[in-house]
Amino acid sequence: MDGPADRGSDHVQSLARGLSVIRAFGAATPELTLSEVARATGLTRAAARRFLLTLVDLGYVRTDGRLFALSPRVLELGYAYLSGLSLPEVAEPHLARLVAEVRESASMAVLDGEDIVYVARVATTRIMRVSIDIGTRFPAHCTSMGRVLLAGLPAGELDARLGRAGLRGFTARTVTTPSALLAELDRVRAQGWAMVDQELEEGLRSVAVPVRERSGRVVAAMNISSHASRTTVESIRSDLLPPLLAAAARVEADLHATGVTGTALSR
């Protein structure tokens, strides 16, 4: 950390000290006495008292007269930053954590017309002939994220989209008839996740789950993709699906806390 001599003339020392008082509190130190705050911040007792009482007046700290603790109002200090995050920015750290756990690539996509569009991705090794980048598009009907997103649509909108879509076959396994696809979407809707086994490309398996905003509307999908040489359908269900569901739940919790919606995709 820079010392006082390293800081410019615009440095406001009193603000820095006030923030140091707030940072003195944490999971291990939720309540502190005046002396403990002074010791943790390097302030004199008199200075620590002035800052604490100012923070009490502003509603950021509460006290019983001896112990001090942060109040929920301190969350306002981070809300302006969090509320400016886009959906991919919220998701990316959770995707990175998921990839570190399962050692397979993970992505997030949204629905655009009859396609999915990748908005976030953390890759391990390349497992497709086509390179996947942010903005890459694939037909929704033969991808795990696409099926999750299609299954989340209202019936009328789903019918309209399928009416416009050409259910092109990419491999011998691709579902290409509307009746078979609708049956698969019913299954996805009932179980809460979708698995696609080599329908977009031979050797590619993936599993996807929905990401919902506070209203319950599906705004995105997250998936894990793997090569068939490394995973079986059974191992995807038993080993990859549970951590994927947990990661999506963490993303949803952040979305609900920050108010980010499916419209905040590309900031």
Side-chain angles (χ1 to χ4, degrees), residues 67-171:
L67 290 173
F68 295 85
L70 297 181
S71 77
R73 191 170 186 179
V74 298
L75 296 174
E76 294 177 357
L77 299 176
Y79 182 77
Y81 167 73
L82 291 173
S83 63
L85 293 177
S86 69
L87 179 55
E89 288 170 327
V90 170
E92 280 165 3
H94 297 289
L95 289 173
R97 174 179 170 183
L98 176 63
V99 169
E101 179 180 358
V102 301
R103 306 297 184 195
E104 298 287 358
S105 298
S107 306
M108 171 178 278
V110 297
L111 195 61
D112 183 28
E114 290 73 57
D115 297 334
I116 62 166
V117 179
Y118 281 72
V119 296
R121 178 167 171 80
V122 177
T124 51
T125 57
R126 183 171 169 178
I127 59 175
M128 291 189 68
R129 289 191 297 269
V130 177
S131 177
I132 299 176
D133 300 303
I134 305 306
T136 295
R137 306 173 73 96
F138 290 121
H141 73 278
C142 57
T143 60
S144 60
M145 289 192 286
R147 288 186 181 167
V148 163
L149 292 164
L150 290 172
L153 293 175
E157 187 176 349
L158 174 60
D159 291 341
R161 287 183 190 248
L162 292 185
R164 296 190 300 265
L167 303 184
R168 173 187 167 194
F170 289 84
T171 74

Side-chain angles (χ1 to χ4, degrees), residues 253-264:
D254 282 357
L255 294 183
H256 299 170
T258 61
V260 174
T261 69
T263 60

Side-chain angles (χ1 to χ4, degrees), residues 111 114-116 118 128 137-150 162 165-177 180-181 184-185 188 194-202 204-208 223 225:
L111 195 61
E114 290 73 57
D115 297 334
I116 62 166
Y118 281 72
M128 291 189 68
R137 306 173 73 96
F138 290 121
H141 73 278
C142 57
T143 60
S144 60
M145 289 192 286
R147 288 186 181 167
V148 163
L149 292 164
L150 290 172
L162 292 185
L167 303 184
R168 173 187 167 194
F170 289 84
T171 74
R173 300 169 182 258
T174 308
V175 172
T176 56
T177 64
L181 180 59
E184 180 61 26
L185 295 180
V188 169
M195 186 184 303
V196 166
D197 183 12
Q198 306 179 77
E199 293 190 41
L200 179 63
E201 182 175 302
E202 292 289 349
L204 178 68
R205 290 183 172 131
S206 66
V207 61
N223 87 337
S225 53

